[in-house]
Each structure stands twice: as structure tokens, then as C-alpha cells.
Amino acid sequence: MKRFIHNLPKVELHLHIEGSLEPELMFELAQRNQVAIPFSSPEEVREAYQFSNLQSFLDIYYQGARVLLHEQDFYDLTWAYLLRCQQDRVLHTEIFFDPQTHTERGIAFDTVIHGICRALAQGEQELGITSQLIMCFLRHLDEESAFATLQMAESHLDKIVAVGLDSSELGHPPEKFERVFARAQAMGLKTVAHAGEEGPSQNIKNAIELLGVSRVDHGVRCVDDPALVEQLSLSRMPLTVCPLSNIKLKVFETMDQHNLMQLLDQGLCVTINADDPAYFGGYMTDNFLAVAEALPMSKAQAAQLSLNAIEASFIDQQLKQKYSQLVTDYLNRCS
Ligand code: HPA
Ligand code: ZN
């Protein structure tokens, strides 16, 4: 099973590029850019990654992003992530970036997006990994800041497929951004949102009804509302579940208590993703392995998780068919 998971073709739909900043690169960039960080070694950084909830993680995560200043830094960050994708047999990835984490520090929007996109273009050319970019609004900031960010994206609509919503869910429900999301949709962008990670199942309903999302990021709290679970199953509304993240942030106490296999069994379009791999201890393969070690998972179910991600992705039908064929051929060969 380990080898099967390792070589299984995968698609990632929930990855914060700033969350792929490994402590070694953080150190390198801190030196290169003369940014002071409160750690003396990458090991010390790793030891500090003990979180009690989402907010305790976010505080450290925004601190870490302070070493990112120049276009080259965003390129290096994204390229390092793509090399990990290659190791993990990720065919396609849809990555989040948080412009406000950078523009609030005086970094230009263009610096951020150009660095990321240069690496993504190279990833497609040299590694054959396709990708899309999703711009997230920080939900702890106000609507005005989100509107200003959306305006900055206007000259980059060829590079952005969707808008998303991340950061502190508690106290910042989806309805706070209903008007911004309507504007984004009018601009031709798709929408996704983090909902039902720490927040109540009502946030999942509101993300669907008020923000028009194509996918729900996390969404694991849907189990509190059986009618919602039924609706998610019937509509095949994708959930981008992040198992290692959920354990690190104490959404579930242990992996054997995680509900994703139960949701998969109920017909939901569940997918497995890494969220912030540098902070939560693993990339795509690690996440699949952690679930398969703690919960019963057959090869067919592992393949189904990949097929779900292809179905839930924003790629065109032709590419979906090609990638799905790779997964089913792989499953047939290995079983
Ligand atoms: N939840 C909310 N905001 C985030 C996350 C997350 O898991 N990762 C990065 N920003
Ligand atoms: Zn996330």
C-alpha cells in the first residue's frame, strides 16, 4: 500500500504557497534579505511548530512570511514546492496565495504574482506539472481591504482562476465577504472558501449559498448537520480535506478519529491535500500515508480520492479525462 500511494498520480487543490516555506529556505531568505527572525537554526524553527488551534498557527505563519521580499523569493518558494510535487507524483496543483500578507508589508502585488507565476510556468514546461492560481482574501481583515486586493488582481485575470477565503474562521463568517465574492464572480472568477474547519457547519452552507463556491476548503464540520452531508453528497460538492493540518491544529485529536473516510463512504467528493506542508509535517504523499495508516483505506479508495480531486479541479474536460485515465490505468495495473 505504501508503494501504491507513493506512485499514485495525485492532484492537489488546497495548498497555501506561503505554507510551503521550509525552515531551511526561511533561514536562507532571512540572511539574503537581512530580515531578523527569532530563531537560531532551522531545527529551532521546527521545534516552535506546536499549535493549539488555527490562530496559534496563523500567528507564526504570518511571521514566517516576512522573509519574502523580492520576486526571486516568491519564485524560489514556488519552485521548491513544485520539486516536492514531482517527488510526490502530483500531476496538477491549484495553489492559494495571500496577497494581503505581503501588500500590508509594502510588497507590490506584481512582485508576488510574477515570482509565483514564473515558477509555475517553468514547472509546466520542465516538470510537466499543470497548475492554477487562487487568490485568497484574509478574512480577519475588512471588506474594504478585500475589495482593494480584488482591484489589484484586475490586470492579472489571465493568471488567476478563482478567489478564496482563508485565515481566522471564528468571528469572520463567509457572509462578511458576500459583496466581494459577487464582484469577483462578475469579473469571471470562480470562488472557493475555507469553511467548517474550526467554524460551524452553518459556515459551509453560507459559503455555498452566499459565496457561490465551487468547492469547500476543509468542510469537515459538515457532520454536525446530517441534512447538509446529504446535500453535499447529492451535489458532489468537493471538500478539500487536509488530514495532517487537522491533527496539528487539533480539529481532530488523532488521525483514527478523522471523518474523511466516513465522508468518502457516504459519497462525498472528498479530496486529500497538504494545506501548509512546511508547518504541518507533510506533503501530499505524507498526507495519504498518514490516513492509510490510521484508517482502513483500499487501493481503490486511494485512487478514488485522486479521481475526486481531478473531478473537483478547474482544468478542462479533456485534461480531466487524461488525468483520470492515468489514475484508473495505475489502479488496474497495481491491483
Ligand atoms: N485555515 C485558514 N487559513 C489558513 C490556513 C488554514 O488551514 N492555512 C493558511 N491559512
Ligand atoms: Zn488552508
Side-chain angles (χ1 to χ4, degrees):
M1 188 64 178
K2 263 191 185 161
R3 218 175 67 195
F4 179 82
I5 284 177
H6 197 84
N7 294 322
L8 174 69
K10 303 172 191 74
V11 162
E12 179 146 59
L13 303 177
H14 186 153
L15 181 283
H16 302 264
I17 197 64
E18 294 90 348
S20 70
L21 178 61
E22 290 289 343
E24 287 75 15
L25 184 57
M26 187 191 296
F27 256 76
E28 193 183 319
L29 295 180
Q31 278 192 331
R32 192 160 94 190
N33 294 334
Q34 309 272 299
V35 177
I37 52 172
F39 304 103
S40 62
S41 69
E43 291 70 37
E44 209 179 296
V45 180
R46 283 208 171 80
E47 277 161 30
Y49 291 172
Q50 310 288 341
F51 312 115
S52 49
N53 55 24
L54 176 58
Q55 193 59 50
S56 64
F57 153 70
L58 290 170
D59 294 342
I60 287 191
Y61 164 80
Y62 296 130
Q63 278 295 312
R66 288 173 53 254
V67 302
L68 299 161
L69 298 186
H70 307 294
E71 188 199 303
Q72 186 65 35
D73 306 339
F74 290 94
Y75 166 87
D76 290 345
L77 172 72
T78 309
W79 185 247
Y81 163 67
L82 289 168
L83 291 176
R84 279 306 312 250
C85 284
Q86 187 184 36
Q87 275 183 39
D88 283 21
R89 205 156 178 220
V90 173
L91 306 171
H92 174 78
T93 181
E94 302 191 351
I95 72 177
F96 297 129
F97 75 119
D98 288 339
Q100 288 155 299
T101 299
H102 315 297
T103 53
E104 293 254 311
R105 299 181 290 121
I107 313 292
F109 186 98
D110 288 21
T111 299
V112 180
I113 198 165
H114 286 150
I116 295 172
C117 286
R118 184 154 62 86
L120 293 180
Q122 191 181 339
E124 179 152 2
Q125 234 173 20
E126 293 181 13
L127 310 175
I129 298 169
T130 54
S131 55
Q132 305 268 20
L133 198 51
I134 301 170
M135 180 177 85
C136 279
F137 301 114
L138 299 182
R139 67 203 305 162
H140 66 274
L141 300 178
D142 59 22
E143 184 193 39
E144 191 187 340
S145 175
F147 267 122
T149 305
L150 187 56
Q151 197 164 14
M152 290 180 215
E154 221 156 8
S155 52
H156 299 283
L157 291 179
D158 55 328
K159 306 177 197 71
I160 299 171
V161 71
V163 295
L165 191 60
D166 64 4
S167 190
S168 324
E169 186 180 3
L170 295 173
H172 304 283
E175 51 270 31
K176 179 175 167 185
F177 296 94
E178 191 175 353
R179 294 189 296 187
V180 182
F181 271 57
R183 172 88 63 87
Q185 284 184 311
M187 287 163 64
L189 293 164
K190 297 181 196 299
T191 65
V192 300
H194 284 53
E197 178 187 17
E198 274 192 348
S201 56
Q202 186 63 43
N203 281 0
I204 301 172
K205 285 198 206 177
N206 287 349
I208 295 168
E209 283 163 24
L210 305 178
L211 305 184
V213 296
S214 304
R215 308 195 284 252
V216 175
D217 296 314
H218 294 293
V220 291
R221 291 282 303 271
C222 67
V223 289
D224 298 340
D225 180 349
L228 174 61
V229 172
E230 173 81 7
Q231 180 199 329
L232 294 172
S233 172
L234 288 173
S235 63
R236 292 288 290 165
M237 172 61 71
L239 302 188
T240 63
V241 177
C242 308
L244 286 172
S245 163
N246 291 157
I247 303 308
K248 273 286 198 183
L249 302 187
K250 307 203 186 303
V251 172
F252 297 92
E253 217 169 286
T254 54
M255 196 63 86
D256 59 355
Q257 292 172 30
H258 203 294
N259 63 16
L260 90 163
M261 293 307 291
Q262 173 200 327
L263 292 170
L264 185 71
D265 284 345
Q266 288 176 268
L268 275 75
C269 186
V270 174
T271 67
I272 285 185
N273 308 271
D275 208 2
D276 301 283
Y279 292 86
F280 301 147
Y283 290 77
M284 281 294 274
T285 297
D286 304 312
N287 272 275
F288 269 86
L289 287 175
V291 175
E293 275 164 22
L295 295 163
M297 185 198 287
S298 65
K299 288 179 180 175
Q301 284 173 316
Q304 186 60 52
L305 288 159
S306 263
L307 291 171
N308 286 351
I310 295 165
E311 174 187 338
S313 73
F314 294 140
I315 56 184
D316 64 39
Q317 279 305 324
Q318 205 181 344
L319 196 52
K320 281 188 184 186
Q321 217 156 39
K322 180 181 152 187
Y323 286 162
S324 300
Q325 197 63 51
L326 285 175
V327 175
T328 48
D329 286 350
Y330 178 74
L331 176 64
N332 290 335
R333 235 183 8 256
C334 294
S335 49

